[in-house]
Amino acid sequence: MDDNVVPQQIIKLLYDKSQDKKQQGCQQLKSLVQSYAQSGKELLIKQIIETLKIKFTSSSQLYLKRQGMFAIQTVAEILVKEFPQLAERCVKDLTQPILECLNDKEDKARQYAVECLLQLTKIMKTMILLNFNEIFDYQLGRSAEQDNQIVQAMFLLDAQLKTQVQIAVQERFSDPGKPCYFNLNSFMIQLQSKLKSRVTYVRQFLLGWIKVLNQCHNNDLYIYFPMILEGIFMMLGESNKEVRNGADLQANEFLKQVEIKVNLDQRVNEQIIEILLKICQMKGNQNNYAKLNSLLWIFEYLRVFQQELEEEQKGKLGFQHSTSHIKQEEYLRSNTSPISKNQMQQFLGGFESPLRKTILNSLSQILGPILILLSHEEEEIRKAAQKTNELLLKVMEKVKNQSVEFMNIVPTIKEMLTDKKSNTAESALIWMKHLLETYSESLFPTIEDILTKLIDKLADSESAIVQNIMDVLANISMHSQYFEIVIDKILTMLHKNQEQSEKKGDQIFKKLCSLLNPQKVYFTITAKLLEIYSDNDVLFISNTVQTLTTLLISEKELQNLRNILRNLKHEKDEKQRQHNQEIFETLYRTFCYNSMSVITLCLLSEEYELAYNIIISFSEVEVNQYILLEIAQLINVLETPVFIFLRLQLLEYDSHPFLMKCLFGLMMLLPQGPAFNMLRQRLKNVSNTQIQSLQQDKKMETEEFLDIQKLLTQFRDIRLQCINQESKQKDLN
C-alpha cells in the first residue's frame, strides 16, 4: 500500500483536535476521493479507507478512533451520492473498520462504532446490506451489551437495518429485474448456524429478525423452514417466558403456511418432516412442548393430504381445480420468488402431488415416533399422538385401493410390537391388523417373524392387549397355511407359561372362536394337544381341556358346536349324523384327559350311558381331593342355562334312565357338603316309583350309534396313562 495515498497535510488536519481543522481535513479528503473516483482509481480509494483504518480507527486513542469514523462516513457519503457503483464495491471496506471497533474494550469506543454504523446505514441505505451478514455477526456478538447508551444505539441500528431489509425486499417485489442488495438465501444459511445458540438474549435477537423476514417476504419462507424450524422449536423449551412465547407465536405463524405451500417442493417437505420427527424423539421433559408442537405440524400435513385425497375421490373439483390449487394460484399472483414460482408451476403442470410423495415416502419414519408417543407420560402429548395416529390410519384406508403398498412400515410395526408400553404395542397391533387385511399376500415372507413377535407379546401382555394380539393372529390364521402354525405357537406359549395358562388360555381360545370357525379351532387344538403333549405333559392337556370345556358350555360363539353335540342322537340325515359323530369322537379323545370334561361332553351330547359307565369306573381308581373338587364344579355347571334340557329330561325318567343313574352316581361319589346337598335337592322329588323303574334298567334310551365299550376302553387307557405319567413325575421330583 502506498503510504502517501493520503497526503500528510490531510492526516495532520484529521489529527488536530480543533473542530474547524478536522472539518477542513474532511473536506480535503472528500475532494481527494472525488478526484480518484473520477479517474477510476478504485484501488486508491480502498487504500484511502485502509489508511484511515490504520492511522485512526485502529488507534488506541479514543478521539482518533472517532475522527477516523467521521472520515470514513465522509468517504461513504461522497461515493454513495456521486459514484454509487463504486460505492457498492467498497461497502465491505467502508464497514469493516467500524465493525472491528465493536470489539473494543472501551465502552465509549463501542458506542461510537455503533453510532457510526447507524449513520453509515442511513447514508448507504439498502446498499449497506451488501455486507449485511458480517454486520449481523457483529451485532449478534454485542447483543449482551450492558451499557445503556450502547444498548440504545444498538436498538436504533437494528431497527434501521430491519427497515433497509424490508425496503430491499419490497423493491425486489416491485421490480424483479432490479438487483437486490439483500441475499436471503445467504442470510438463512448464516441464521441456521446461529439458531443453535441456547443463550437467551441471542434467541430474542434472532426471533426478532425471523419475524421481520417472514413479514417482509409475505409469509414466503416455506422453502427455508428446514434451515430454521428446528431452532425455533428448541426455543419452545426456553425458561425465559418472552423467548418461549415468541417462538410459539412464530411457529404458529409458520404452521399457517403449510396448507397453501405444502405442494411446492417434495424435498423441502421431507426435510421438514425429518426435523419434526427428530424433535418427537428427543429426550427430556424440557422438550415436551416442542414434541407437542411437532405432533401438531405432522397432523397438519396429514390433514391437508387427507383433504387432497377426499377431493380426488369426490371428483367434484379434480386435481387441476382443487381448493388447494385455487389457493396456489392466488399464491402465484402474490409471490415473485423465482424458486417458489418455478416449483409451483411445475406442480400445476400436472406432476404428482409433492405432498403425496412426501407422506407415502415418509410413512414408516412417521409411524414409529407416533406409536412411541402414544405411551408418553404427559397426557396432552398422548392425546395429540392418538389423534395423529388415527388420522394416519384414515389416510392409509383412503390410499390402500390406489395400488399403494405400505410394506415399508412393516419393520417399524414389528419393532413396536415388542414395546413394553401397552398403548404403543396396542396401536402397533391395530396397524398390523390393517396391513394383514389389505396386504396379506405381500406379508407372507415376514409372517413367521411377525408370529414370533406376536406370541412373545402374548405371553407378556395384560388382558387388554391380548384382544388386539388375537385380532392380528386371527387375521393370519384365516390363511389356511398358517392356521395350524398359529394354534401350535399359542399352545407352545401356554405350555411354557402354565401358571398363566388358565386365565390367558380362556381369553385366547374365546377370541379365536369369535373370529374364526369355532369347530375348526376346537378340532385343531385338541388334535395338537394329543400330537405334541400326550407323551410328556398330560397335566397340561387336562388343564387346557378344562378351559375348552368351560368355554364350550358358556360362550355364545360356541352355540353352533353345542347344537351339533346336542343333536348327536337326533339327527335324521345319515351323512350329517356321521359327521356329528365324528365331531364327538374327535373331541372325546382329548377330553378323556380330564374326567369331568369328558363327563360334561357326554352329558351335553346326551350320551348318558357312556357318562354313567365312566362315572362307575371311578371305583377302579383312588378318588382324590382333586377329583372330588372337579365333581363339585360339575354339579354347579349342571345348574347353568346350557343344561336346562338335561334337568327337564329328569321328568322323562323312562326315556333317560342312564341320566338318573349318572346324577345319582355323581352324588354317591361326593362327600356330604354344598355340592352334595345341591344335587340331592334337585333329585329329591324323584319318586320311589321312578327309582324302581331305574332298578328295572329299562332300555328306553334313544338308539345308540356309538360304540360305548370302545369309547369306555379308550377312557380307561388314557386314565391309566395319566396315572402312570403322574407317578413317574413324582418319582423324578
Side-chain angles (χ1 to χ4, degrees):
M1 184 184 73
D2 187 356
D3 291 338
N4 297 317
V5 69
V6 180
Q8 284 300 314
Q9 181 184 353
I10 295 177
I11 298 294
K12 287 181 180 179
L13 288 171
L14 293 175
Y15 268 157
D16 202 296
K17 292 186 177 182
S18 166
Q19 187 66 28
D20 290 339
K21 289 187 177 181
K22 282 191 291 187
Q23 287 180 353
Q24 187 179 350
C26 285
Q27 189 61 40
Q28 291 182 18
L29 179 64
K30 182 177 178 181
S31 299
L32 181 65
V33 170
Q34 280 178 315
S35 66
Y36 285 158
Q38 288 169 350
S39 303
K41 298 177 180 179
E42 179 179 332
L43 179 60
L44 290 178
I45 293 174
K46 290 186 175 184
Q47 288 182 356
I48 290 174
I49 299 170
E50 182 65 19
T51 300
L52 294 174
K53 172 185 173 182
I54 294 171
K55 294 186 177 294
F56 293 92
T57 60
S58 296
S59 171
S60 59
Q61 298 183 54
L62 183 61
Y63 89 93
L64 289 179
K65 285 180 183 289
R66 194 174 192 187
Q67 187 57 35
M69 294 177 195
F70 285 141
I72 288 174
Q73 286 180 37
T74 300
V75 174
E77 190 171 1
I78 190 62
L79 288 177
V80 170
K81 184 177 181 182
E82 298 183 17
F83 310 99
Q85 292 182 341
L86 180 57
E88 290 176 1
R89 298 193 292 273
C90 294
V91 170
K92 183 176 179 64
D93 303 272
L94 291 164
T95 54
Q96 189 60 38
I98 314 301
L99 292 174
E100 290 176 4
C101 291
L102 287 174
N103 291 329
D104 198 284
K105 60 183 179 180
E106 287 192 44
D107 289 351
K108 277 294 181 183
R110 297 198 303 278
Q111 178 188 337
Y112 294 155
V114 176
E115 291 171 349
C116 181
L117 270 178
L118 177 60
Q119 292 305 314
L120 281 176
T121 304
K122 291 178 178 178
I123 293 168
M124 305 180 79
K125 300 188 184 301
T126 58
M127 190 184 296
I128 201 169
L129 299 178
L130 289 170
N131 197 32
F132 175 70
N133 285 9
E134 195 168 355
I135 295 172
F136 184 83
D137 256 346
Y138 276 93
Q139 261 192 301
L140 194 61
R142 305 315 314 169
S143 56
E145 281 285 0
Q146 299 297 316
D147 183 276
N148 287 334
Q149 288 182 309
I150 298 176
V151 170
Q152 183 62 29
M154 289 286 290
F155 177 80
L156 294 173
L157 172 62
D158 189 56
Q160 186 61 226
L161 285 169
K162 286 174 180 174
T163 298
Q164 297 308 320
V165 167
Q166 289 173 314
I167 293 171
V169 173
Q170 191 57 48
E171 286 177 350
R172 188 193 67 177
F173 285 159
S174 302
D175 184 4
K178 183 179 180 180
C180 183
Y181 293 127
F182 179 65
N183 188 327
L184 177 61
N185 190 59
S186 172
F187 177 63
M188 280 297 181
I189 293 172
Q190 183 182 20
L191 188 60
Q192 182 179 18
S193 64
K194 304 301 180 186
L195 281 167
K196 295 176 182 177
S197 173
R198 295 181 177 273
V199 181
T200 298
Y201 58 79
V202 171
R203 286 177 161 181
Q204 286 177 315
F205 181 75
L206 296 176
L207 280 172
W209 271 99
I210 292 172
K211 179 180 178 181
V212 168
L213 290 173
N214 191 47
Q215 289 174 344
C216 69
H217 282 84
N218 296 327
N219 296 321
D220 182 28
L221 295 183
Y222 186 78
I223 61 173
Y224 296 105
F225 281 6
M227 294 183 176
I228 59 178
L229 202 59
E230 183 177 353
I232 292 174
F233 270 66
M234 288 300 91
M235 294 183 194
L236 295 173
E238 166 72 50
S239 58
N240 182 281
K241 185 177 179 181
E242 185 178 346
V243 171
R244 193 168 61 249
N245 290 344
D248 192 22
L249 183 63
Q250 194 58 64
N252 289 332
E253 285 296 315
F254 283 166
L255 182 58
K256 295 174 184 177
Q257 299 183 32
V258 168
E259 181 173 5
I260 190 171
K261 299 177 182 177
V262 76
N263 273 317
L264 294 179
D265 191 315
Q266 178 188 346
R267 182 182 56 84
V268 171
N269 290 343
E270 290 174 349
Q271 289 174 337
I272 294 172
I273 293 292
E274 185 179 345
I275 290 169
L276 297 174
L277 295 176
K278 177 183 176 182
I279 294 168
C280 283
Q281 297 172 82
M282 285 183 173
K283 307 294 182 184
N285 291 333
Q286 72 274 14
N287 295 316
N288 281 352
Y289 193 54
K291 290 179 186 176
L292 181 60
N293 273 270
S294 294
L295 286 171
L296 296 177
W297 274 65
I298 293 170
F299 181 87
E300 180 64 9
Y301 275 93
L302 293 172
R303 185 194 67 78
V304 177
F305 183 42
Q306 183 192 35
Q307 179 179 315
E308 185 177 289
L309 292 171
E310 287 173 350
E311 290 174 356
E312 289 178 8
Q313 289 173 351
K314 289 176 182 177
K316 291 181 178 178
L317 300 176
F319 186 76
Q320 293 293 330
H321 302 89
S322 65
T323 302
S324 56
H325 171 68
I326 294 169
K327 290 181 179 179
Q328 289 151 2
E329 285 185 328
E330 292 175 355
Y331 169 72
L332 276 178
R333 288 194 293 269
S334 63
N335 178 23
T336 56
S337 167
I339 297 176
S340 301
K341 188 168 184 176
N342 182 53
Q343 291 167 335
M344 178 59 90
Q345 287 171 337
Q346 285 185 348
F347 170 63
L348 294 178
F351 283 77
E352 186 181 11
S353 159
L355 175 60
R356 180 190 185 90
K357 292 180 182 178
T358 300
I359 298 301
L360 297 184
N361 291 347
S362 307
L363 189 60
S364 60
Q365 293 94 319
I366 294 173
L367 184 59
I370 298 302
L371 292 178
I372 290 172
L373 290 178
L374 287 169
S375 300
H376 196 274
E377 59 187 16
E378 191 168 308
E379 183 180 6
E380 197 170 3
I381 291 178
R382 289 198 306 274
K383 287 182 177 178
Q386 181 64 37
K387 187 177 177 184
T388 306
N389 184 54
E390 289 171 358
L391 183 55
L392 205 53
L393 279 166
K394 289 178 182 177
V395 167
M396 190 192 84
E397 284 294 310
K398 288 184 180 297
V399 299
K400 70 180 183 182
N401 296 323
Q402 301 179 15
S403 300
V404 177
E405 286 211 0
F406 293 91
M407 296 308 299
N408 60 334
I409 69 173
V410 172
T412 300
I413 296 175
K414 282 162 61 177
E415 181 183 352
M416 295 299 108
L417 286 174
T418 60
D419 196 275
K420 295 187 180 300
K421 296 175 181 177
S422 60
N423 287 352
T424 296
E426 189 172 352
S427 295
L429 286 165
I430 293 171
W431 271 94
M432 184 59 72
K433 178 184 175 185
H434 278 271
L435 286 179
L436 284 165
E437 289 173 348
T438 312
Y439 309 108
S440 55
E441 297 294 330
S442 302
L443 281 169
F444 279 168
T446 63
I447 286 291
E448 285 288 342
D449 188 34
I450 293 171
L451 274 176
T452 300
K453 292 184 181 296
L454 287 171
I455 296 298
D456 289 344
K457 193 69 185 177
L458 192 60
D460 298 334
S461 300
E462 296 299 324
S463 58
I465 201 169
V466 165
Q467 304 296 322
N468 285 322
I469 297 174
M470 292 312 302
D471 280 339
V472 178
L473 288 175
N475 270 287
I476 296 174
S477 302
M478 288 175 183
H479 303 276
S480 56
Q481 65 266 49
Y482 290 109
F483 182 81
E484 290 194 13
I485 295 175
V486 170
I487 298 296
D488 196 359
K489 287 184 177 291
I490 288 173
L491 290 176
T492 302
M493 181 275 296
L494 292 173
H495 185 250
K496 289 179 180 177
N497 302 272
Q498 292 198 41
E499 67 281 356
Q500 305 176 32
S501 65
E502 183 178 350
K503 179 182 177 183
K504 206 155 262 185
D506 179 83
Q507 283 182 281
I508 292 169
F509 298 147
K510 180 180 177 181
K511 191 67 176 178
L512 276 176
C513 289
S514 69
L515 298 170
L516 302 170
N517 184 321
Q519 183 177 316
K520 186 178 180 182
V521 170
Y522 263 62
F523 274 22
T524 308
I525 292 174
T526 52
K528 288 289 181 183
L529 287 171
L530 289 178
E531 176 188 339
I532 302 171
Y533 303 104
S534 60
D535 293 332
N536 54 61
D537 198 341
V538 295
L539 180 59
F540 175 65
I541 299 178
S542 176
N543 291 337
T544 306
V545 165
Q546 187 172 14
T547 300
L548 293 173
T549 305
T550 303
L551 294 174
L552 179 61
I553 61 176
S554 61
E555 297 303 322
K556 62 181 182 180
E557 290 84 2
L558 291 155
Q559 176 70 50
N560 188 50
L561 183 55
R562 286 198 297 269
N563 290 339
I564 290 173
L565 294 170
R566 279 282 316 278
N567 292 325
L568 185 63
K569 287 188 167 187
H570 308 291
E571 180 59 55
K572 304 300 183 184
D573 182 75
E574 175 67 18
K575 187 176 179 180
Q576 184 62 44
R577 182 186 61 74
Q578 289 179 355
H579 176 67
N580 293 354
Q581 185 176 325
E582 183 183 339
I583 292 173
F584 175 83
E585 292 179 352
T586 300
L587 296 177
Y588 178 86
R589 282 193 294 272
T590 309
F591 275 48
C592 282
Y593 282 86
N594 185 290
S595 299
M596 291 308 108
S597 290
V598 77
I599 293 172
T600 304
L601 178 66
C602 292
L603 294 177
L604 185 63
S605 307
E606 298 187 27
E607 288 295 336
Y608 301 135
E609 183 177 356
L610 179 57
Y612 172 69
N613 281 285
I614 291 173
I615 292 168
I616 292 300
S617 73
F618 278 104
S619 62
E620 302 167 6
V621 297
E622 181 180 345
V623 177
N624 56 32
Q625 186 97 9
Y626 180 74
I627 292 176
L628 292 176
L629 181 61
E630 284 190 328
I631 295 173
Q633 291 173 343
L634 175 58
I635 300 306
N636 287 319
V637 167
L638 294 177
E639 293 295 322
T640 61
V642 171
F643 284 101
I644 287 177
F645 75 92
L646 181 146
R647 299 197 295 272
L648 290 174
Q649 285 175 355
L650 291 174
L651 302 175
E652 302 170 352
Y653 53 90
D654 288 334
S655 299
H656 307 287
F658 281 104
L659 171 58
M660 299 294 290
K661 287 187 175 186
C662 284
L663 298 183
F664 275 107
L666 290 172
M667 189 170 68
M668 292 304 106
L669 287 174
L670 285 169
Q672 293 193 27
F676 175 89
N677 293 331
M678 183 187 297
L679 186 53
R680 185 178 65 174
Q681 183 68 27
R682 175 67 69 183
L683 297 173
K684 74 176 183 178
N685 293 326
V686 178
S687 65
N688 291 333
T689 304
Q690 293 167 343
I691 295 174
Q692 287 172 6
S693 69
L694 288 177
Q695 292 169 348
Q696 295 170 12
D697 198 16
K698 294 180 182 178
K699 296 291 183 179
M700 298 187 65
E701 294 275 0
T702 309
E703 183 182 358
E704 185 61 68
F705 296 103
L706 298 176
D707 187 340
I708 300 296
Q709 287 306 312
K710 176 185 173 183
L711 293 172
L712 185 59
T713 301
Q714 192 176 49
F715 170 75
R716 285 190 169 116
D717 291 344
I718 290 174
R719 183 172 62 189
L720 181 61
Q721 178 195 355
C722 293
I723 292 171
N724 291 337
Q725 197 175 120
E726 288 172 6
S727 178
K728 287 179 182 178
Q729 189 64 41
K730 286 179 182 178
D731 292 341
L732 288 173
N733 293 336

